[in-house]
């Protein structure tokens, strides 16, 4: 399980965009949570953290490991 902090989400569309970005990363088994309220994303699987962060940043959001 990998937890990330995502900055810049402010609506449901943002949550969907981040979720879809994470689902596209190799090694992700599932996206357990992307929370607008907490600004956190939780991913199940063996994906590289740098790849997860890059996918989120490609969508226009800032991200870092929690």
């Amino acid at each position: 399980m990998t937890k990330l902090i995502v900055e810049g989400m402010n609506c449901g569309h943002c949550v969907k965009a981040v979720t879809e970005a994470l689902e596209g990363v190799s090694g992700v088994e599932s996206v357990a949570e992307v929370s607008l309220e907490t600004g956190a994303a939780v991913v199940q699987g063996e994906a590289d953290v740098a790849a997860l962060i890059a996918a989120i940043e490609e969508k226009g959001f800032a991200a870092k490991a929690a």
Side-chain angles (χ1 to χ4, degrees):
M1 179 175 74
T2 303
K3 185 173 181 180
L4 303 166
I5 302 301
V6 182
E7 298 175 359
M9 295 189 299
N10 56 23
C11 66
H13 177 73
C14 297
V15 170
K16 183 177 180 185
V18 170
T19 301
E20 289 175 351
L22 293 171
E23 289 172 340
V25 176
S26 178
V28 171
E29 293 174 11
S30 68
V31 178
E33 175 186 18
V34 176
S35 174
L36 184 61
E37 292 78 22
T38 64
V42 179
V43 176
Q44 300 287 343
E46 300 298 323
D48 180 64
V49 174
L52 295 170
I53 291 171
I56 292 169
E57 290 178 344
E58 284 179 19
K59 293 292 184 178
F61 305 96
K64 61 184 176 184

